[in-house]
Amino acid sequence: MTMMSRRSFLKGAAAVAALVSVGGVTHAVKQGAFSTGTGPAYEPWHTWENVEEGDLPLLRIVRAAVLAANAHNTQPWLYRIGDRSIDLFADVSRNIGTIDPWLREMYISLGCAVENAALAARAYGYQPSIKLYSGGLERIHVAGISLEEGLEEPSELYRAIGNRHTNRAAYDSEKPVEDSVMSELEKLTDVQDDARIVWFADDAGRREMGKLIVGATEAVASDRNQSADSHRWFRNDWGEIQRHKDGPTMDATGNSSFTRFIGKLFPVSEQTSNDYWMKATENTYVATASAFGTIAIKDQTDRVQLMQAGRLWQRMHLWTAANGLAAQPLNQPHERRDRELQLGIEPVFGRELARLVNKPGYEGVFTFRLGYPISRGLPSPRRSAEEVLLGASNPTPSPSR
Ligand SMILES: Cc1cc2nc3c(=O)[nH]c(=O)nc-3n(C[C@H](O)[C@H](O)[C@H](O)COP(=O)(O)O)c2cc1C
């Protein structure tokens, strides 16, 4: 038994002993130790295709949009539904501070939401025209989707919307990702826009990108501000999860059901969380990745291109969900690159990232791993479409952080 598993075993044994008491069982129930994917925080995954009496006709499209991938599960979005349009606004108050000082991840997340909305619109008989708006923080209106009547086209990607979950468990090391998978994923790029994929699938590429990811994870964990800004979003209290309906959770860690059960019983400190994250990054995320990839765009200060990168990632992740693969973004190298720029310090990670991506005229903005799953990814909480709609009771916010 390794040190880690021995410690987990002892902790587990102590927890089981504590549970024998009635108070222990009550605590476990309250902490959601026996529950996964249930309660109001997970309802949007179960009801996203429903139409309720009295719903705004386009609400179903927003129901699909809120299930999109998004950084730290911050869900930095607000929607306004018109007669024939949906407008998307950035909720800048939900930014991740020093983890995302230039809002790269926020705009990529908004692009993911646009893609789910576009796929749902087509499935429900609309032809969407999408406008992504450039600008800075003074303009939080980031996208407009106008809807003409069209044919009902529920695509393979649309059907995968409710099954797409970030998978942080070990992937099958015996089963490499075939070249054909990477070709299919490349077909999801849109020649009209600027987002492209750079692969790290051979031994040397995987080794170098893996090393960069592990090093960047350690650097994020040892940066007090980044560590605190990241940990702030972690939710381990079941009541808090059901109330906030956001953030990374124990169920989304990719751990076994036993470890998640034990993990839910105790508060998780920032230090414990960082220790776990660094080990998992090296021994699970990187060690069992079949391939890494980076989405690159021409100019990472251009938010339209960042949203295009998000749209591409959403399509790619949906495709993996539809085709039995697993995927996980691993953005630590980018988070360090952004932080180095913010602090004006030597661009150690920025330089190495650029060297590895090595695509003239392009900059890497989003890195991920790919593989065949051993266990399935579990859903993360979501605020419902109704909770993120702008309207009389929820006016458009001012564009301040
Ligand atoms: C821009 C962006 C950056 C992300 N970075 C990471 C990351 O570095 N590590 C990770 O495990 N997940 C990352 N994710 C995945 C999100 O944490 C995940 O989408 C979110 O928690 C919601 O969970 P879901 O994808 O299972 O619905 C990222 C997602 C986006 C869109």
Side-chain angles (χ1 to χ4, degrees), residues 45 67-73 105 108-109 112 164-166 168 313 317 328-332 335 366 378 380 382:
W45 291 103
L67 299 184
N70 65 93
H72 266 63
N73 202 17
E105 296 192 2
I108 295 176
S109 305
C112 294
R164 183 212 57 82
H165 305 298
T166 299
R168 298 185 179 86
W313 172 246
H317 202 183
Q328 177 191 8
L330 288 164
N331 272 266
Q332 297 89 306
E335 288 160 0
F366 180 97
L378 294 172
S380 283
R382 283 298 190 284

Side-chain angles (χ1 to χ4, degrees), residues 156-378:
E156 178 191 51
L157 298 186
Y158 162 79
R159 290 200 183 92
I161 285 176
N163 304 324
R164 183 212 57 82
H165 305 298
T166 299
N167 190 329
R168 298 185 179 86
Y171 299 167
D172 189 345
S173 318
E174 305 291 306
K175 206 168 169 210
V177 167
E178 305 85 347
D179 289 348
S180 58
V181 164
M182 288 179 272
S183 310
E184 287 302 316
L185 288 168
E186 271 170 37
K187 286 186 197 152
L188 299 171
T189 54
D190 181 341
V191 287
Q192 314 274 11
D193 72 29
D194 292 311
R196 297 288 177 269
I197 312 166
V198 178
W199 293 107
F200 302 91
D202 62 9
D203 286 349
R206 275 188 310 167
R207 203 170 36 248
E208 287 199 293
M209 182 46 92
K211 193 170 159 216
L212 184 67
I213 291 167
V214 171
T217 307
E218 283 164 9
V220 171
S222 5
D223 179 315
R224 272 180 44 205
N225 296 90
Q226 283 199 303
S227 169
D229 284 343
S230 175
H231 189 69
R232 187 166 298 131
W233 284 90
F234 182 71
R235 313 256 182 247
N236 201 37
D237 179 271
W238 191 244
E240 208 179 44
I241 291 172
Q242 299 298 346
R243 223 175 18 259
H244 290 283
K245 304 174 181 163
D246 60 16
T249 64
M250 187 58 70
D251 281 332
T253 55
N255 274 304
S256 69
S257 48
F258 179 70
T259 306
R260 287 187 281 111
F261 173 82
I262 300 301
K264 285 179 183 178
L265 298 180
F266 303 98
V268 177
S269 70
E270 190 176 320
Q271 185 62 50
T272 306
S273 174
N274 278 339
D275 290 347
Y276 166 77
W277 183 45
M278 285 189 287
K279 283 201 180 80
T281 301
E282 184 163 9
N283 302 333
T284 305
Y285 308 163
V286 165
T288 72
S290 283
F292 297 106
T294 297
I295 297 180
I297 56 177
K298 288 183 177 153
D299 176 2
Q300 62 182 309
T301 65
D302 180 336
R303 77 180 195 188
V304 168
Q305 292 184 34
L306 287 167
M307 286 190 273
Q308 290 170 349
R311 291 192 66 187
L312 173 58
W313 172 246
Q314 188 66 22
R315 287 193 291 275
M316 291 170 69
H317 202 183
L318 289 170
W319 189 91
T320 63
N323 289 277
L325 282 107
Q328 177 191 8
L330 288 164
N331 272 266
Q332 297 89 306
H334 307 278
E335 288 160 0
R336 275 319 288 175
R337 176 261 173 211
D338 291 351
R339 180 73 169 143
E340 288 168 346
L341 194 64
Q342 182 190 34
L343 292 174
I345 58 176
E346 203 191 333
V348 179
F349 288 94
R351 217 169 20 224
E352 184 61 2
L353 185 60
R355 186 184 75 78
L356 292 188
V357 170
N358 190 25
K359 186 171 171 66
Y362 283 82
E363 305 177 293
V365 288
F366 180 97
T367 294
F368 59 90
R369 70 168 172 137
L370 212 57
Y372 282 94
I374 296 172
S375 54
R376 67 194 174 96
L378 294 172

